[in-house]
Structure formats: structure tokens, C-alpha cells
Amino acid sequence: MTSRSSEVNELVFILALYFNLEQKIVGVDPRYNTFLISILNSSAYQFPSNLKFLTWNYDLQFELAYQKLLDDHTDSLQYSKFNKNENSWKKEEFNSIKINGSCNMIDKSFGSFYHLIKNISSDKVDLEDIDWALKYGFCHIKNRREFSSARVNINFAWYNDTDKLNKIAALHDTTEVLVVIGYSFPFFNRDVDRKIIRSMFRLKKIYIQDLYPNDIVNRFLSILPNWKKQEIEIIPINTAEEFFLPPEL
């Protein structure tokens, strides 16, 4: 292992630990709970098969909100719902993909997910909550020896996983309605954004939700410059009290 890769691993670990602690302290944005209640089958808590989530976020908001909705008092979040392995992606089913991974951990041997600190759904922080994380960090980064088969599940944009990106694009190529919530289309994500959105050859309508949606619309036009020729309707939504649900859902 080079000194440079060691520094990167240390930075990623510290970043993931910070995200976990911040998630624990701040808790869940109530909009996630409202959103899930609105879209889920109330009897079985099943997601609509025609719905797909795609996010650049590393946070655990959906996982924690879903756990609270299920009234699950264990500390085991249902990561498989929102961090599906790409081998299990199916176009005709609900899928949730975190393009850059998540601030949780993934077991390299079994592919299972878990969080870096204990009791993450509680806003109370005890020293024992970060005991495992400190051991992991010391052994993997400082002491350079194997303590666990797990690794931090964050994958930065510059990793350039072309195969995964192609699979994401293919999974969303029949999308007809796109809802963009709080995403600014930053310049450094432009290549990935273009690849995914331009693959949506059936796209008819795009809702963009932001406090200043027209600014985002102007930036979005560089992603899909032929939207008029394709007769795509772009609709700005300037409210932020709740996540927007399109009438087509």
C-alpha cells in the first residue's frame, strides 16, 4: 500500500465516521417520513414497482425513515432496500441506487451492509457507540492490519466505474417522468448526469424542485439541450416543505 492510498483510506474512513455521527445527532428530516408514507402500500410497506430512486447523497435518511415507519426498534437498518447490489437490479421493479455509495460499511466477503457506529437511530451519543469504529480505524489505517472484512461504502465520482454507469443508464432508459429534488447539477458530475439523463429516451416531463428552481433549470439545459426538440416539458417547483410527488405516480 502506498503512502498516498493510505492517506486516501484514512480520509474516507474519517469522512464516513463524521457522516455517521452527524446523521445520529441531526436525526431524520421529517420530509422523508411523509414521503414514504405517501408512496408505500400501507399494508405491506411495498414500494411501487414503477418508482426508482437515484441519488448522489451518502446519507442514511431513507434507511432511518423506513426503519421508523416499520417501527423497527433494532439497530439493524434495511440497507438492502436502498443499497441494492447491481446484480439484483431489475428494470420492472423498484430500485434505489446511490451513485457514489453510502456512508455505511459493506462486508467484502458477503456483500452485507451495516453502519459504522452503534445505535445510529438514537440521537444520544455514548462512547461505546464509536468503539467498533475506533478499533476498525486504528487497525485498518494506523496499524495496517486486517480487523474486519468490511470497507467504507463511499465511492467518489472520480473512480470512473464505466460498467456500473452503463448499467444505471440502461436501468432508467424507459423513464417517462423525472423528478429532481434539491440537486444542482454541479459541473464535476456533468458527465455522469449526461450519460444517465440522455439515456432516458422516453422522457416526457421533468419536475425540478428547489427554492430557486429556475436557476437549476438553466443549469439543467446543458445536460439535455435538445429538450424542446424532444417535446419534453420542464416544470419548476419552488416549494420545499415536502418532497414533490408528481401526479403521474
Side-chain angles (χ1 to χ4, degrees), residues 83-136:
N83 301 260
K84 273 192 174 182
N85 184 287
E86 60 188 82
N87 295 324
S88 63
W89 294 346
K90 294 182 180 179
K91 189 177 294 188
E92 66 276 9
E93 296 180 359
F94 165 77
N95 287 280
S96 174
I97 300 173
K98 295 186 173 183
I99 300 176
N100 277 358
S102 177
C103 63
N104 57 11
M105 304 290 291
I106 182 170
D107 191 291
K108 292 178 286 187
S109 300
F110 303 102
S112 54
F113 299 97
Y114 50 93
H115 32 279
L116 196 56
I117 60 176
K118 297 178 183 177
N119 303 314
I120 196 166
S121 59
S122 168
D123 58 1
K124 181 181 179 183
V125 181
D126 295 318
L127 288 178
E128 67 174 16
D129 291 342
I130 60 173
D131 182 61
W132 186 91
L134 293 177
K135 289 179 181 177
Y136 175 92

Side-chain angles (χ1 to χ4, degrees), residues 17-69:
L17 181 57
Y18 166 74
F19 283 154
N20 273 248
L21 288 170
E22 186 72 11
Q23 177 72 81
K24 183 178 175 68
I25 294 169
V26 174
V28 181
D29 187 322
R31 292 179 297 178
Y32 284 87
N33 186 57
T34 303
F35 180 76
L36 289 177
I37 290 174
S38 300
I39 65 171
L40 291 174
N41 180 314
S42 59
S43 61
Y45 296 115
Q46 295 296 315
F47 289 88
S49 59
N50 65 338
L51 179 67
K52 291 178 173 56
F53 296 155
L54 192 60
T55 180
W56 286 99
N57 292 345
Y58 302 117
D59 62 52
L60 308 177
Q61 291 283 292
F62 267 124
E63 291 89 335
L64 285 165
Y66 189 65
Q67 181 200 38
K68 291 181 183 296
L69 190 62

